[in-house]
Amino acid sequence: MRTGLRWKLSAAIALVGALVAVTLSLVVHNAARVLMLDNARDLADDRVLVAQRNYELSGRLNFPNTKIDDPDLPTELRRRVAEGRRATYVTERADGVTDIWAAVPLKDGHVMSLHSGFTDRNADILKDLDRALVIGSIAVVLGGSALGVLTGGQLSRRLRKAAAAANRVANGEPHVRVRDAIGGVVRDETDDLASAVDAMADVLQQRLEAERRVTADIAHELRTPVTGLLTAAELLPPGRPTELVLDRAKAMRTLVEDVLEVARLDGASERAELQDIMLGDFVARRVAAKDPDITVRVVHESEVTTDPRRLERVLFNLLANAARHGRPPVEVSVEGRVIRVRDHGPGFPEALLADGPSRFRTGSADRAGHGHGLGLTIAAGQARVLGARLTFRNIRPVGAVPEAPAEGAVAVLWLPEHAPTNTGSYPTLPEPSRTAR
C-alpha cells in the first residue's frame, strides 16, 4: 500500500500523541485517586481519634460509624492494632466500592474502629477528572494529526516540487534548478537535498557537454581527411579493390556525419522549422521515392505541424533499420498522427526494448558488421526535437509465451498534437511570405 508522506507523518504524530495522552491520563488519574484516598484516610484517622477521646470520657459510643471489636475489621488492620498502633486501611469490594477503615486500640484492650466509604463527592471529582482527561487526550490527538497533516503537507509539496524539477532536468532542461523550484524561506534537509541534486546535475551536464564537444571535434576533424580519401579513391582505376576502398570510404563518411549529428542532438540546441503538412501524403511520397517496393497504407489522413526534414530523417532511419536487420515485406501505416514501420524479421533485441536505442550498439552478435548502431539513436534524437515519441516493440503470436520468437518488429512514431512541445529544443515557425501592395 502506497501512502503519502503527509499521512505517514500525521499518523505517527497522532500515535505518539495518543500514547503520551493515555500515559499522562493514567498517571494523573492514579495520582489524584491516591491523593484523595490519603485525604480520606487522614480524615478517618482524625475522626477515630476524636471518637476514642469521647468514648474514654463518656464511656459510650457517641460517634457515627464507630464500633467496638467489629467482626468485619480487616485482618491486616486488626494485626497492626494488636501491636498497639493506630492505623488506617483501604479495601476494595467486588462491585468496585472503596471502603476506608480506621482503628485504634483502647485502654481496656478492645479495638475501636470506624468504617466509611469513598465519598460520592470524591467519586464525582474523579469522574469529572477522567472526563476532562479523555477530552484533553482527544484534543491532543486531533491537534497532533492536524499538525502532522500541515507539516507533512508542506514537506510533501516541497519534495514533489523537487521531484518535478529533477524530472525536468532529466528530460533535457539543464537550466532548471531544484533549489529554486521548491522555494521557501525556511532551510531544512529538503534544501540540502535540492542543492546536492543541482550540484550533481551541473557536474553531469559539464561532463556530458565535454564529451559531446570532444566527439563533435573529433568527427569534425575527420571530415576533411575522409573527404580527401573518398576523392582519391574515386580516382583509382576501376576494379574490385577500388570498389572495396570506395565502399569503406563512403561508410566512414556516413559514420562521421552521423556522429556529428548525434553530437548536435546531444547539445539540445537544435531548432525545428515547422510547417503544416498532410502526414499520409507526405509519408507516401517519401517512401515511394526511397523504395517503391515498400507498402504504405494511410488509414486516416491528418494535418500536422512538424519539421518535414527531420520527420523524413526519422522515417528513413526506421526504414533503413528494418531493411538491414529485418526481413521483407516492410510495411508503413499512417493513422492520424501515428506512423508505424513494421518488418517481418527476428524483432528488436531485448536490450533495445528495455533501455531504448544506444549508440554503437547494433543488437545481437550475429549482426556484427551490419551498421554502426547510430540510426535508431539519431531517429530518437530527431523525434525529441519534434516533440514526438518513438517506441519499439516486437510482434508475437497471440497467446505465445514471452520467450517465443518474434514475428516482426514495429517502430511507432507518435507526433504531438500541438507543436512545439516541451522537448528542450527551440522550434521556430517559418515566417509568412509578404506580398507587395
Side-chain angles (χ1 to χ4, degrees):
M1 182 176 61
R2 185 172 183 266
T3 58
L5 182 62
R6 173 190 303 182
W7 303 114
K8 290 181 181 178
L9 188 59
S10 175
I13 293 179
L15 180 60
V16 173
L19 292 176
V20 172
V22 170
T23 303
L24 290 179
S25 298
L26 292 176
V27 171
V28 172
H29 173 84
N30 291 332
R33 189 173 186 277
V34 169
L35 179 62
M36 291 181 181
L37 287 175
D38 289 342
N39 292 335
R41 293 175 70 173
D42 292 340
L43 179 60
D45 185 64
D46 293 339
R47 293 174 68 183
V48 78
L49 185 60
V50 172
Q52 178 193 10
R53 292 174 181 174
N54 291 341
Y55 178 77
E56 291 177 349
L57 291 175
S58 62
R60 58 189 179 84
L61 293 174
N62 57 4
F63 204 88
N65 299 325
T66 56
K67 292 182 180 180
I68 301 296
D69 295 333
D70 188 350
D72 296 330
L73 192 66
T75 303
E76 180 66 21
L77 181 59
R78 189 186 302 277
R79 184 183 62 80
R80 293 187 180 182
V81 174
E83 296 175 355
R85 295 186 298 171
R86 189 176 75 251
T88 59
Y89 196 74
V90 178
T91 60
E92 293 282 350
R93 297 182 192 174
D95 56 0
V97 177
T98 303
D99 291 329
I100 309 296
W101 296 85
V104 60
L106 299 177
K107 294 179 180 180
D108 55 7
H110 295 284
V111 176
M112 176 182 288
S113 62
L114 184 145
H115 177 212
S116 61
F118 200 50
T119 62
D120 294 338
R121 181 173 179 273
N122 288 336
D124 292 340
I125 291 176
L126 273 181
K127 290 181 180 179
D128 293 340
L129 178 62
D130 291 341
R131 188 180 299 110
L133 290 175
V134 170
I135 295 175
S137 300
I138 295 175
V140 168
V141 172
L142 294 179
S145 300
L147 179 62
V149 170
L150 293 177
T151 305
Q154 181 180 8
L155 182 59
S156 180
R157 282 193 300 272
R158 289 166 65 85
L159 290 176
R160 283 197 300 268
K161 290 179 179 179
N167 285 330
R168 291 176 60 189
V169 174
N171 290 332
E173 299 183 41
H175 302 295
V176 175
R177 288 293 174 266
V178 180
R179 178 64 188 85
D180 297 336
I182 62 177
V185 296
V186 179
R187 300 297 298 271
D188 55 14
E189 289 79 1
T190 310
D191 297 88
D192 297 336
L193 175 62
S195 300
V197 172
D198 288 338
M200 179 183 66
D202 290 338
V203 172
L204 291 177
Q205 182 64 26
Q206 292 173 4
R207 291 183 179 179
L208 291 175
E209 181 62 24
E211 293 178 1
R212 186 196 65 81
R213 193 181 304 113
V214 170
T215 302
D217 291 343
I218 293 175
H220 187 271
E221 293 298 325
L222 286 175
R223 295 181 73 179
T224 301
V226 169
T227 302
L229 178 62
L230 183 61
T231 303
E234 291 175 348
L235 299 177
L236 294 175
R240 182 58 180 170
T242 301
E243 293 178 0
L244 292 176
V245 172
L246 282 173
D247 179 69
R248 292 299 88 192
K250 291 179 181 179
M252 186 177 296
R253 182 178 63 179
T254 302
L255 174 59
V256 171
E257 296 297 333
D258 287 348
V259 170
L260 279 174
E261 186 171 359
V262 170
R264 289 193 298 268
L265 292 173
D266 287 344
S269 59
E270 290 289 279
R271 296 174 179 268
E273 299 178 0
L274 303 177
Q275 298 179 14
D276 294 333
I277 62 173
M278 301 304 294
L279 185 59
D281 179 68
F282 175 86
V283 172
R285 286 189 289 106
R286 292 300 191 274
V287 173
K290 178 72 173 177
D291 188 349
D293 296 332
I294 297 178
T295 303
V296 178
R297 185 167 61 97
V298 180
V299 180
H300 175 66
E301 182 65 279
S302 176
E303 183 179 6
V304 298
T305 302
T306 188
D307 187 330
R309 182 182 63 85
R310 297 183 187 277
L311 178 59
E312 180 181 286
R313 177 68 162 153
V314 175
L315 180 61
F316 284 0
N317 279 21
L318 295 179
L319 293 175
N321 183 81
R324 181 178 296 117
H325 302 301
R327 285 196 295 266
V330 177
E331 302 169 351
V332 178
S333 65
V334 179
E335 184 174 359
R337 298 176 178 273
V338 180
I339 303 174
R340 292 179 175 86
V341 178
R342 179 192 175 179
D343 62 60
H344 291 74
F348 292 114
E350 294 299 328
L352 185 144
L353 297 178
D355 305 328
S358 179
R359 63 195 66 178
F360 299 109
R361 185 177 67 185
T362 60
S364 57
D366 59 353
R367 292 182 177 182
H370 299 279
H372 42 73
L374 293 180
L376 294 183
T377 302
I378 293 175
Q382 295 289 7
R384 284 194 299 271
V385 176
L386 296 176
R389 183 164 58 98
L390 184 59
T391 62
F392 307 93
R393 64 183 179 89
N394 291 333
I395 297 178
R396 289 184 171 86
V398 178
V401 296
E403 294 78 11
E407 294 183 343
V410 178
V412 185
L413 180 67
W414 310 74
L415 292 175
E417 183 177 358
H418 302 287
T421 59
N422 186 15
T423 63
S425 61
Y426 302 91
T428 57
L429 286 171
E431 295 184 1
S433 59
R434 298 181 179 179
T435 57
R437 294 184 178 179

